[in-house]
Amino acid sequence: QVQLVESGGGLVQAGGSLRLSCEASGSSVNSAAMGWYRQPPGRQRELVATINPLGSTNYADSVKGRFTISRDNAKNTVYLQMNSLKPEDTAVYYCNAQLLWHNYWGQGTQVTVSS
């Protein structure tokens, strides 16, 4: 089994930056497709970014050019660098790992962007 723990969320003003971390334990996620999802208030969960084991990335149109997903295999950790934050980025951000036909989710970390 894989356990995922997100960290790095907080309150930031518009235009600021945050770096989210997703630390995996229980198993290596080096061979897993990893992703960040978010759930804004009153809305459904949505895809933010993905990264495959070879480092290929995909981003939602709303975050392209502002967010960067990366992974550090030695630390079994995935990151989401968020720059030029906007109030509409406010959400609970969740880390996801797809491994051995299973999907694992972290508990989420709150990101709040104020005007």
Side-chain angles (χ1 to χ4, degrees):
Q1 296 185 355
V2 175
Q3 295 80 47
L4 304 174
V5 179
E6 302 96 337
S7 62
L11 176 63
V12 64
Q13 289 188 323
S17 298
L18 285 173
R19 190 191 195 198
L20 306 183
S21 298
C22 173
E23 299 180 6
S25 62
S27 182
S28 171
V29 293
N30 292 351
S31 61
M34 304 293 297
W36 286 96
Y37 294 74
R38 67 187 182 187
Q39 186 167 14
R43 295 173 58 184
Q44 294 183 246
R45 184 182 63 189
E46 63 186 27
L47 176 69
V48 176
T50 61
I51 183 167
N52 75 6
L54 299 179
S56 179
T57 59
N58 285 285
Y59 298 92
D61 288 341
S62 59
V63 307
K64 286 181 179 177
R66 300 188 298 120
F67 290 11
T68 302
I69 187 171
S70 62
R71 64 199 304 164
D72 186 333
N73 289 341
K75 296 182 178 180
N76 215 27
T77 299
V78 178
Y79 304 96
L80 184 68
Q81 179 67 46
M82 305 186 295
N83 299 326
S84 302
L85 284 162
K86 304 175 181 179
E88 50 263 44
D89 295 320
T90 295
V92 178
Y93 283 71
Y94 296 93
C95 180
N96 168 262
Q98 183 179 336
L99 181 66
L100 298 177
W101 309 109
H102 294 280
N103 278 292
Y104 302 92
W105 296 91
Q107 298 183 55
T109 185
Q110 176 69 48
V111 172
T112 302
V113 184
S114 65
S115 300

